[in-house]
Amino acid sequence: MAKFLFFGRLADRVGRNKVELDLPPHIQTTSAVIRWLEAYLDTPNALSDPSLKIMINQEFIHQNGPVHNSDEVGFLPPVGGG
Amino acid sequence: MDIRITDTPFEPGTELNAFSTANPQAGAIASFLGQVRDEDGAVNTLSLEIYPGVTEKGIQARAKQAMQQFRLSDLCIIHRHGDMSVGEPIVLVLTAAKHRRDAFLACDYLMDYLKTEAIFWKKQTGQDGTQWIEPRPDDYQDAKRWRP
């Protein structure tokens, strides 16, 4: 199962801060995950917002790349400061 | 170096005393304490969210770099997350150095990092409801001062 985490105002927008799902076999990249997850959550464009940063297994990724069924994928809106 | 990201309240005076006692060789200890402002009665609760593991790792890395850059002999950062009330301590930065300038600068530098880059999301609840808070333009200007 892949774990998807939503932080800050994004969690309000998607209505939860976490969801764990099995990735269908054809969903193998971050861009495919974003489209698939937006449809699953019924939140069009919520995850393709360019201000979001994405972490896979707690490391920032800066371009489209592979996602595996065991991964933790974090969607981070701009930080608010401490 | 002591970095604590915690949802438990802390007592700044106790922490400062312990830090100065542990660093008798330091000629200078600087401190910064940030606490929850009431914004003229508009704020009841401030809530900080972290990405567990990631927030700590980022602060650890920047703290380690600051130790070298400002020739600190010791450093302590305590940062709250979770819900806090007006007047409660949010963050305490303590820096120990041979001389005061490095201690002051390191404190200032680390606070600019914590205010603009560290992984926190901040929500304020008060008489106008709940709002997500982002850094002010001045915070980004302050952070730019440290760029080469």
Side-chain angles (χ1 to χ4, degrees), chain B residues 66-84:
Chain B
M67 286 279 294
Q68 289 192 333
Q69 183 175 343
F70 299 100
R71 293 164 293 199
L72 301 180
S73 54
D74 200 3
L75 167 64
C76 173
I77 299 175
I78 306 173
H79 207 305
R80 281 285 309 277
H81 63 97
D83 294 341
M84 288 159 274

Side-chain angles (χ1 to χ4, degrees), chain A residues 6-53:
Chain A
F6 313 105
F7 296 94
R9 64 174 78 236
L10 179 64
D12 286 352
R13 183 152 178 210
V14 303
R16 62 188 85 191
N17 56 21
K18 183 169 82 169
V19 62
E20 293 189 54
L21 296 167
D22 269 320
L23 285 181
H26 66 286
I27 303 296
Q28 298 176 350
T29 63
T30 39
S31 60
V33 161
I34 287 170
R35 286 192 300 273
W36 171 71
L37 208 49
E38 283 178 340
Y40 175 84
L41 296 167
D42 194 20
T43 53
N45 306 319
L47 305 179
S48 38
D49 180 337
S51 72
L52 294 183
K53 291 184 177 172

Side-chain angles (χ1 to χ4, degrees), chain A residues 5-9 12 55 58-60 72 74 76-82, chain B residues 48-52 54 57 79 114-116 118 120-122 132-135:
Chain A
L5 304 174
F6 313 105
F7 296 94
R9 64 174 78 236
D12 286 352
M55 296 188 103
Q58 306 197 349
E59 298 288 343
F60 283 110
E72 174 180 298
L76 290 72
V79 295
Chain B
L48 284 178
E49 183 186 3
I50 61 169
Y51 186 164
V54 174
K57 195 172 149 194
H79 207 305
L114 291 166
K115 294 295 289 184
T116 58
F120 289 103
W121 294 276
K122 183 157 54 178
W132 289 98
I133 308 291
E134 286 176 3

